[in-house]
Amino acid sequence: MSSDSSDFRPSNQILPKLIIHGGAGSSLKGKGGADAVRQSLYSVIEEVYLLLQEGATAQAAVVRGCQLLEDDPRFNAGTGSVLQSDGQTRMSASLMDGTTQKFSGVINTARVRHPIDLALFLQDVDDRILSDYGSAELLRELQVPLYDPTTDLRLQEWIQERAGNFDKTMAGVVAEQELVSDNAGRGTIGVVALDGQGNIAAGTSTGGKGFERVGRVSDSAMPAGNYATAQAGISCTGIGEDIIDECLAAKIVIRVTDGLSLKAAFERSMQEAHTHKRDLGAIGLDATGAIAWGKTSEVLLAAYHTGERIADTLDMATGMQVSAV
């Protein structure tokens, strides 16, 4: 037997798979921007996939991946979240364990570093989705240190929008204003993992659309934007209202459950979304280890690990596209 056992897995285990995203939206500006996004995504992929290799559950891997992406101010989740029309940061996140088929999440939470941590805690209680007031009470109950996720760049972005009376129709998916031209893209983040025992989990976190009406609810804390069963898991990104109208994550998972391949489920769902003129993207994987992604938006900021290599979606052609490995 070789002394190198890094590829050894017991016969009852399967090869873990992982895919993450950092948003979708309008086209990236310049190769330098794409390279910066790629570096951010790959660093998360490398750390989280190592956890899966070491035996972490899909749920634990998803939570860690979301935490890392929430900490990266390049993306619109956690630190660096966009501000709402009143200048406040409110974030939403959800987690779904495909094995237990439990969904948990928080809507419009504030003053917390990792909204995904609240979603994780709620996995094991009876009341599993909390709004702003409930999540604030939970933070106090758990004695989580208060944290301000606002960055100077987001504050300046809000000041510029306020001067223009908030006339942007889409701010928080991929920001490409001159103010942030050195940041190629930021958006809703998501992680979907398949662990060595065949369990699937999905997590999604966002700062919202940006400059929206106070109280607006995104798809990220709904099964429309984040959904997993034993058969497949999906995380969505893009315009939340478009994702909700398509009920995209649950739709793709149900199609897989009903017998379509993951790629075919993506193709049918994205074609429908394209016909309806939606602006969105999604990533996912299934119990066979297939990985897929698709978009109707111009770009999808995603990266994945097949078990053998890391790759990304940053060079996808513009317009509606679906791919799988």
Side-chain angles (χ1 to χ4, degrees), residues 91 149 206 220 324:
M91 302 164 288
T206 187
S220 297

Side-chain angles (χ1 to χ4, degrees), residues 12 28 122 155 164 172 176 187 198 210 225 239 255 295 302 309 316 324:
N12 64 333
L28 288 168
L122 292 169
L155 179 58
E176 298 195 59
I239 299 300
R255 283 176 165 162
K295 65 181 181 65
R309 64 186 178 92
M316 288 179 76

Side-chain angles (χ1 to χ4, degrees), residues 192-250:
V192 188
L194 172 71
D195 66 28
Q197 300 300 317
N199 303 308
I200 295 171
T204 307
S205 182
T206 187
K209 188 163 57 174
F211 320 120
E212 63 263 59
R213 181 189 296 270
V214 175
R216 179 257 183 187
V217 175
S218 81
D219 67 287
S220 297
M222 297 183 187
N226 189 73
Y227 198 70
T229 65
Q231 287 73 41
I234 301 292
S235 172
C236 299
T237 181
I239 299 300
E241 286 75 9
D242 287 357
I243 294 167
I244 293 167
D245 289 344
E246 294 294 319
C247 201
L248 186 62

Side-chain angles (χ1 to χ4, degrees), residues 39-234:
Q39 182 177 353
S40 290
L41 294 174
Y42 280 29
S43 66
V44 174
I45 286 282
E46 289 168 354
E47 179 171 333
V48 176
Y49 195 78
L50 180 60
L51 293 177
L52 288 168
Q53 286 180 311
E54 294 173 344
T57 64
Q59 184 183 96
V62 164
V63 169
R64 183 55 183 155
C66 286
Q67 289 172 340
L68 292 170
L69 290 164
E70 287 172 338
D71 279 343
D72 190 332
R74 183 176 304 281
F75 305 115
N76 173 26
T79 301
S81 290
V82 294
L83 306 186
Q84 295 191 358
S85 58
D86 62 349
Q88 300 300 307
T89 302
R90 298 178 181 89
M91 302 164 288
S92 296
S94 67
L95 176 67
M96 189 160 187
D97 188 304
T99 301
T100 62
Q101 210 164 330
K102 285 184 177 180
F103 182 98
S104 59
V106 288
I107 297 169
N108 287 335
T109 189
R111 309 291 291 178
V112 61
R113 179 177 176 183
H114 295 133
I116 195 66
D117 289 351
L118 300 181
L120 175 62
F121 174 83
L122 292 169
Q123 278 279 303
D124 296 321
V125 300
D126 291 335
D127 302 320
R128 286 189 272 114
I129 304 174
L130 298 180
S131 65
D132 49 359
Y133 178 79
S135 64
E137 289 295 309
L138 179 60
L139 284 171
R140 284 191 281 272
E141 176 185 331
L142 298 177
Q143 298 184 333
V144 175
L146 294 180
Y147 178 80
D148 184 359
T150 306
T151 62
D152 289 343
L153 186 139
R154 286 304 194 188
L155 179 58
Q156 291 302 313
E157 183 180 72
W158 181 83
I159 290 171
Q160 286 192 6
E161 286 300 308
R162 182 173 181 268
N165 200 30
F166 305 111
D167 60 358
K168 292 289 193 300
T169 58
M170 175 179 144
V173 184
V174 174
E176 298 195 59
Q177 296 88 344
E178 289 302 314
L179 173 66
V180 293
S181 59
D182 61 333
N183 261 332
R186 302 178 302 234
T188 305
I189 64 93
V191 180
V192 188
L194 172 71
D195 66 28
Q197 300 300 317
N199 303 308
I200 295 171
T204 307
S205 182
T206 187
K209 188 163 57 174
F211 320 120
E212 63 263 59
R213 181 189 296 270
V214 175
R216 179 257 183 187
V217 175
S218 81
D219 67 287
S220 297
M222 297 183 187
N226 189 73
Y227 198 70
T229 65
Q231 287 73 41
I234 301 292

